[in-house]
Amino acid sequence: MPVHLILLGPPGVGKSTQASLLRQRYPIEPLATGALLRAEVKAGTPLGRQAQAIIERGQLVDDAIMIAMVRQRLAALPPEQGFLLDGFPRTIGQAVALDGLLHELGRPLTVVLQPLVEREDVVRRLAARRECRSCATPVQLQAQPTLPACPRCGGELVQRADDTPEVILQRIRVYEQQTAPLVEYYRGAGLLAPVDGRGTPQEVAERLCTVIEGRSRRAALPRAAEVSRALGA
Ligand code: AMP
């Protein structure tokens, strides 16, 4: 059965790093709405032009636009492929719309993964984050005196326009006001799995995989029971 995952957490908690590690383990399509919007900005599309100022102020793009963007991509997935949503949903309105969409598509959520790190670590990670100008790979700067090249394609590393100190604080405020209520929303639905987000990316990925394995086994159980009932066992 394909897995259907959400990575929920503030900017800088390591969602995109974990998404790239998890895609090596599961047949999932990572869907990062922030990266999709940045690609629209780079391509200068009408949506990109509309979104650019909003992103650079650290605010949220309209729910209807985001829901349409995710709907189009999820509906196009082959049945055997799962998905991992990174940066969506970000409001209760988006979460409710996602529930309806997943019901329509017959793709129930497996689990909502919530990596937890201290607030100071989030701010530190965002300030040290750079992104490849060509392939958008995120990189954490260590204490190097010179900027390294992109480890994936050798491209130039640049700072995202919304990773400046003022916009970082604004994005964390927006997370706390508009996105943090999703923690209770998914806890209430029995889908939330808080996970220790400290340590190396590989350590965090191992913890996430343990949760995913446990939840997908649990989701498969009712099916196994149905099959044995149908077989008269
Ligand atoms: P991210 O790369 O996830 O940090 O997203 C960068 C920016 O894109 C956010 O600060 C928002 O302005 C916008 N964005 C990304 N995903 C969403 C979403 N689900 N809803 C509204 N705005 C979004």
Side-chain angles (χ1 to χ4, degrees):
M1 255 209 326
V3 289
H4 303 136
L5 310 171
I6 292 180
L7 267 173
L8 179 63
V13 80
K15 297 191 295 295
S16 53
T17 304
Q18 290 306 317
S20 57
L21 291 173
L22 292 178
R23 78 181 301 188
Q24 294 166 19
R25 302 278 280 267
Y26 300 97
I28 46 174
E29 174 77 12
L31 258 173
T33 45
L36 292 173
L37 287 171
R38 283 188 292 280
E40 298 277 344
V41 171
K42 199 170 165 194
T45 64
L47 168 58
R49 284 198 297 276
Q50 195 185 337
Q52 183 167 18
I54 300 173
I55 296 174
E56 288 179 5
R57 282 200 305 270
Q59 287 165 353
L60 294 186
V61 173
D62 191 62
D63 277 357
I65 294 177
M66 300 312 301
I67 293 161
M69 181 182 255
V70 169
R71 165 181 283 277
Q72 188 199 9
R73 285 173 173 80
L74 290 185
L77 283 184
E80 68 286 358
Q81 192 169 23
F83 60 77
L84 184 155
L85 293 172
D86 159 5
F88 184 94
R90 258 178 156 99
T91 63
I92 292 284
Q94 292 180 14
V96 171
L98 179 67
D99 284 347
L101 172 61
L102 295 181
H103 182 73
E104 232 176 82
L105 297 174
R107 287 182 176 269
L109 282 172
T110 309
V111 64
V112 176
L113 300 159
Q114 185 198 18
L116 296 169
V117 304
E118 301 293 333
R119 199 176 198 268
E120 305 79 73
D121 284 336
V122 160
V123 177
R124 192 181 40 75
R125 286 190 198 188
L126 286 174
R129 179 164 75 178
R130 297 295 181 273
E131 185 179 272
C132 175
R133 197 193 281 285
S134 349
C135 74
T137 295
V139 176
Q140 276 291 309
L141 291 187
Q142 308 300 330
Q144 301 101 323
T146 53
L147 218 56
C150 169
R152 191 155 151 229
C153 75
E156 187 194 357
L157 296 181
V158 291
Q159 187 167 39
R160 273 171 46 173
D162 59 350
D163 274 348
T164 58
E166 312 78 66
V167 186
I168 288 174
L169 290 180
Q170 169 64 10
R171 287 163 62 211
I172 292 175
R173 263 198 302 271
V174 166
Y175 174 82
E176 284 166 356
Q177 287 164 5
Q178 304 201 51
T179 310
L182 295 183
V183 170
E184 282 316 313
Y185 182 86
Y186 286 120
R187 200 197 309 279
L191 285 165
L192 188 77
V195 176
D196 184 356
R198 294 167 306 174
T200 65
Q202 284 71 17
E203 284 165 348
V204 179
E206 281 312 317
R207 293 181 203 124
L208 297 179
C209 289
T210 306
V211 172
I212 296 168
E213 303 301 327
R215 293 284 178 139
S216 23
R217 263 199 304 276
R218 218 197 282 176
L221 278 180
R223 287 226 163 160
E226 266 170 43
V227 172
S228 33
R229 254 200 314 278
L231 293 174

